[in-house]
Amino acid sequence: MNKVVVVDSVRSGITKSFRGRLRDTRPDDLAAYVINALLARHNSFDPQSVDDCIIGCAFPEGAQGMNTARNIAALSALSVNCSGTTVNRYCASGLQAIAFGAGQILSGNASALVAGGVESISMTLKHINTNHLYNQRIQQDIPGIYLGMDIENPATEFIKNVFNSMGQTAEIVAKKYGISRVAQDEYALLSQQRIAHAQTSGYFSSEIIPFPIQRQKKASTEIDTYILNQDECNKPDTNLENLLALSPSFVDGGTATAGNSSQITDGASMCLLASDTFCDQHQLQRLGYFHGMVTAGCAPEEMGAGPLYAVKKLLKQHKLQISDVDLFEMNEAFASTTLYCQQSLRIPMEKLNVCGGAIGLGHPFGMTGSRLVGRILRDLKRLDKRLGIVTLCVGGGMGVAALVERA
């Protein structure tokens, strides 16, 4: 049977939504640029031989609408000769895109494809179409399944509802399972410290594609060009005292704050997937192998617990124990949910998010799952380890987990 090879994985730097340097960059333009950079690193084959372009996006409308994957393919070196399809599993959209691509390769219906994710929260969530958005039956029976449901105040802006409702699920998990504010802030500090170490050590340099951003100078016709070649959200000087001083962000008297929650950000990540045969034919290096993904449902109000169920399911499917897995990348939607899953699964902290995560880097919804695949495969290689699991919680009450192996 074919193996699914992850040939390479690259991404943009990540910037804050609404005020970061990517705020005015169209997501399709950004994604196409990242794809071109990915293909340029592997010029032993014709981009026209790529069978498909699968892109994850959590909110595929506006600048991300109109089947953005097809548009991205046409804008890139893949050209109009490559098809495209857009995937939405909220925060796991990028990982789901890779899983769909892997299925095409395993079935023999594709030899090589581009899969990944993109999200411009800046260009989307302030203008989302909310006409007829909510099904009244869901509102009555399972309102927690909606990302933007605020039963008490339905007039609240959708964008605020999205982030508030996710934060409330983090508070529910923290309270129900006894994840203290101090523990959350201590974990947030560890994440920031690990990111800072990874940046100064150059661990991100091989995955981040320099992206030129042009902006007209104020009161001038001149154009400034800035090269985005790093992540811009983390705070290397973070300390525990400052984290503990932050006010709760979602619930009065709560424990989830801006310091121990994932940041709202923009970015894109793309992977080149291929069969073993295609790699042999074109002398392509192998970053790793993608062995499959599972999904699991959970109570919507405990959305952040999703990885707990998905990882258990994945381990059972592959007849593995936690001790058999060398590294874990668990998206840090919130410190409370990350800690709950880590403690419940008994994942050693030295195996979890070894270069930090979304608390410091940020979480462009559709991008993150793809970014985590590239990150964990590079860390497995750097640390001379073999197996890794990528897992994310997903809005509406879901979890996903994927097994990867270094080449």
Side-chain angles (χ1 to χ4, degrees), residues 357-370:
I359 286 173
L361 289 176
H363 176 28
F365 305 135
M367 170 204 191
T368 299
S370 175

Side-chain angles (χ1 to χ4, degrees), residues 276-303:
D276 257 334
T277 301
F278 188 91
C279 290
D280 289 340
Q281 288 173 343
H282 299 282
Q283 295 82 51
L284 292 172
Q285 297 293 316
R286 294 159 171 80
L287 183 60
Y289 298 98
F290 188 86
H291 291 311
M293 187 191 88
V294 303
T295 65
C298 65
E301 62 271 17
E302 294 183 24
M303 174 275 302

Side-chain angles (χ1 to χ4, degrees), residues 259-276:
N260 59 37
S261 305
S262 57
Q263 297 190 50
I264 308 306
T265 50
D266 305 324
S269 169
M270 299 294 154
C271 295
L272 177 61
L273 307 182
S275 66
D276 257 334

Side-chain angles (χ1 to χ4, degrees), residues 211-222:
F211 178 71
I213 299 172
Q214 294 187 332
R215 184 169 290 119
Q216 187 171 332
K217 292 182 179 180
K218 290 183 178 180
S220 171
T221 59
E222 294 182 35

Side-chain angles (χ1 to χ4, degrees), residues 92 173 294-298 302-315 322 328-334 337-342 344-345 347 352 372 389-395 397-402:
V173 168
V294 303
T295 65
C298 65
E302 294 183 24
M303 174 275 302
L308 171 61
Y309 306 105
V311 170
K312 285 183 176 180
K313 187 175 179 180
L314 184 73
L315 292 171
I322 287 289
F328 292 81
E329 278 291 332
M330 182 183 298
N331 184 40
E332 296 171 353
F334 301 94
T337 56
T338 303
L339 284 171
Y340 170 61
C341 293
Q342 177 261 331
S344 299
L345 291 165
I347 299 172
L352 178 68
L372 296 183
I389 285 179
V390 172
T391 182
L392 301 94
C393 57
V394 184
M398 294 180 279
V400 301

Side-chain angles (χ1 to χ4, degrees), residues 1-30:
M1 180 182 287
N2 255 330
K3 283 186 176 180
V4 179
V5 178
V6 181
V7 177
D8 201 357
S9 174
V10 299
R11 65 180 180 90
S12 70
I14 300 172
T15 70
K16 290 182 181 293
S17 298
F18 310 120
R19 50 198 175 96
R21 286 192 168 96
L22 289 174
R23 65 185 182 276
D24 297 322
T25 298
R26 286 189 61 93
D28 44 6
D29 287 335
L30 176 63

Side-chain angles (χ1 to χ4, degrees), residues 97-114:
I98 294 171
F100 281 157
Q104 288 184 225
I105 290 172
L106 283 175
S107 68
N109 291 320
S111 297
L113 50 82
V114 170

